[in-house]
Amino acid sequence: MNRSNETSPMLGFILLGLSAHPKLEKTFFVLILLMYLVILLDNGVLILVTILDSRLDTPMYFFLRNLSFLDICYTTSSVPLILDSFLTPRKTISFSACVVQMFLSFAMGATECVLLSLMAFDRYVAICNPLRYPVVMSKAAYVPMAVGSWKAGITNSVVQTSLAMRLPFCGDNVINHFTCEILAVLKLACADISINVISMVVANMIFLALPVLFIFVSYVFIIATILRIPSAEGRRKAFSTCSAHLSVVIVFYGTILFMYGKPKSKDPLGADKQDLADKLISLFYGVVTPMLNPIIYSLRNKDVKAAVRNLMAQKHLTE
């Protein structure tokens, strides 16, 4: 491509968002704002409860606390930008802000994939090898596991973001998305992006395929162990300890697979509708999933519900 058409990314980018659908913007502004407030409240309460209640000082709730903190960070890196785009017809984002937003999005997404696989391993040991659980999942083991998941996610983000931001960009730097989503940014590049594609494929294998395979194998062993429990009550109690995590995994990976696995439309009108659908699915993935995580764990976990009730009771006593 002629490099005379190349523009400096330092001038920033323009985020289209839902500018082609102005009637939807006000509705989604209110909806996303309410969801964001619910995310902050629910995940904040879950973090507070798991810290204050000594009965929840276990590996599973330590991982859950990390997951809630991660969800707050992930949504905070994108939702304020999305809300602003609903109020501004042509939202311009600076190059440095785009880099930060892309970095945080990548880091949080990759870390969550690893965290969910660690939580599956925790449930596997608890159900399949309960006698060894205190040794295998000791504090000296599960804290480095969580730290490693954050390090892995941040390392992947540094690689992907630096490769993307080294590219030259062409045209008027218009990103057809709510945020600096990597695939939308790469479409603006006027250079070969094969290295970026290869690195993303490798990252997807490491942070998507391998965790999914690990979680699947873990639950094969978990279900096999549960089915060998003689009493129905014993099977119910065993399954209840991992049902919340399984629900979160299905929502998280189900949305990703649907978002990237559906066929592309060749019809121009269908392509416009698909473009809108892609943005809304991305919105669901970025907002609804973090909102559902604490709700799922609260509804399906009697220990969390009991801890929340105790916290509320203590608050009333101090008033």
Side-chain angles (χ1 to χ4, degrees):
M1 183 175 293
N2 190 347
R3 295 187 67 85
S4 64
N5 294 328
E6 183 180 321
T7 58
S8 172
M10 299 305 293
L11 298 175
F13 298 97
I14 296 173
L15 302 170
L16 289 184
L18 287 176
S19 57
H21 307 275
K23 293 182 179 179
L24 294 177
E25 289 188 320
K26 292 182 179 179
T27 301
F28 275 96
F29 175 84
V30 175
L31 187 62
I32 299 304
L33 177 61
L34 291 175
M35 288 181 175
Y36 181 53
L37 294 176
V38 171
I39 289 169
L40 296 179
L41 177 62
D42 287 359
N43 283 286
V45 169
L46 197 55
I47 292 172
L48 186 63
V49 164
T50 56
I51 290 175
L52 296 179
D53 197 309
S54 59
R55 294 172 300 177
L56 303 183
D57 187 20
T58 64
M60 181 177 71
Y61 295 110
F62 178 77
F63 290 139
L64 180 57
R65 189 157 62 241
N66 275 263
L67 184 63
S68 292
F69 178 71
L70 185 151
D71 284 338
I72 291 175
C73 293
Y74 180 79
T75 52
T76 302
S77 72
S78 58
V79 170
L81 189 63
I82 293 172
L83 292 175
D84 190 40
S85 71
F86 289 148
L87 300 178
T88 309
R90 285 174 64 87
K91 169 60 183 173
T92 302
I93 182 173
S94 67
F95 176 73
S96 58
C98 185
V99 172
V100 171
Q101 195 276 319
M102 187 184 297
F103 170 81
L104 291 174
S105 177
F106 256 114
M108 298 304 107
T111 302
E112 183 159 357
C113 291
V114 179
L115 266 178
L116 289 175
S117 64
L118 292 178
M119 294 171 79
F121 177 72
D122 173 76
R123 293 299 83 206
Y124 162 77
V125 178
I127 293 175
C128 300
N129 296 282
L131 297 179
R132 297 188 59 196
Y133 184 79
V135 176
V136 176
M137 296 303 295
S138 64
K139 193 169 186 177
Y142 68 76
V143 172
M145 287 181 184
V147 172
S149 68
W150 284 92
K151 287 182 177 179
I154 291 172
T155 300
N156 174 63
S157 185
V158 169
V159 172
Q160 303 299 335
T161 305
S162 60
L163 286 175
M165 292 299 103
R166 287 173 56 194
L167 294 169
F169 297 95
C170 303
D172 52 4
N173 291 352
V174 176
I175 299 176
N176 189 19
H177 211 275
F178 298 108
T179 61
C180 289
E181 200 266 342
I182 182 67
L183 297 179
V185 172
L186 290 180
K187 289 180 181 179
L188 304 179
C190 49
D192 183 26
I193 61 170
S194 57
I195 294 178
N196 301 76
V197 173
I198 292 171
S199 67
M200 289 182 65
V201 169
V202 173
N204 287 340
M205 292 297 296
I206 295 173
F207 291 98
L208 284 177
L210 288 181
V212 167
L213 179 62
F214 185 83
I215 292 170
F216 175 78
V217 173
S218 297
Y219 272 99
V220 168
F221 285 104
I222 288 171
I223 292 173
T225 302
I226 291 176
L227 292 177
R228 289 198 296 267
I229 298 176
S231 67
E233 181 65 16
R235 290 193 295 270
R236 187 191 65 79
K237 288 183 178 179
F239 185 74
S240 67
T241 64
C242 57
S243 60
H245 173 257
L246 187 58
S247 300
V248 168
V249 167
I250 291 172
V251 171
F252 180 76
Y253 285 107
T255 307
I256 292 177
L257 292 175
F258 182 75
M259 185 163 53
Y260 292 107
K262 63 184 186 303
K264 302 294 182 182
S265 174
K266 296 181 180 179
D267 177 50
L269 295 177
D272 291 339
K273 292 180 180 179
Q274 181 174 294
D275 179 63
L276 176 60
D278 288 344
K279 291 179 181 180
L280 295 181
I281 293 170
S282 175
L283 207 57
F284 174 86
Y285 170 73
V287 180
V288 178
T289 302
M291 184 184 71
L292 289 178
N293 287 350
I295 295 175
I296 291 172
Y297 270 98
S298 298
L299 292 177
R300 290 181 170 270
N301 194 299
K302 63 180 182 180
D303 293 332
V304 173
K305 288 189 286 187
V308 171
R309 285 195 296 267
N310 289 339
L311 183 64
M312 296 300 294
Q314 291 176 7
K315 181 181 177 181
H316 287 308
L317 289 175
T318 55
E319 291 179 350

